[in-house]
Amino acid sequence: MDQIGEKLARDDHRPRALFDRFNIAALATTDSALDGLEHHQRVKDSAWSGRVIPTFRPDGVLDPDDPEFAENIRALAKLTQTDALGF
């Protein structure tokens, strides 16, 4: 069996156990401007005391060369309930 897979299957190598074992103060995730933060809210609402914070990755709504740029802008406008296209 793969050694990494074997370790990750153990309770003492699960993410929260490693977070505590290595005294990690905070973990920052990379989140798109279009990502919801439901997962962050669930962590915050849980009994676990670890700190996980989102960071803003705006590529999809700032890079006009992105093939999905126009759709991303429409999604951002809908998400924020603003007119992102008629400035």
Side-chain angles (χ1 to χ4, degrees):
M1 179 180 224
D2 178 283
Q3 287 184 0
I4 294 172
E6 196 174 289
K7 290 278 187 188
L8 292 176
R10 294 175 28 184
D11 287 342
D12 64 338
H13 281 72
R14 302 293 299 156
R16 291 182 181 192
L18 293 173
F19 201 99
D20 294 338
R21 185 162 121 209
F22 291 108
N23 288 326
I24 296 171
L27 176 71
T29 63
T30 303
D31 300 279
S32 158
L34 304 175
D35 286 344
L37 298 175
E38 302 86 16
H39 301 324
H40 288 275
Q41 190 62 50
R42 279 199 300 273
V43 169
K44 188 176 180 180
D45 292 344
S46 75
W48 183 56
S49 63
R51 185 170 180 230
V52 180
I53 55 176
T55 59
F56 177 57
R57 183 174 179 177
D59 318 23
V61 295
L62 292 181
D63 181 4
D65 291 330
D66 184 317
E68 297 181 20
F69 178 72
E71 181 55 37
N72 290 342
I73 292 297
R74 283 190 283 278
L76 181 64
K78 183 177 180 182
L79 182 68
T80 60
Q81 298 178 353
T82 60
D83 181 7
L85 302 173
F87 11 101

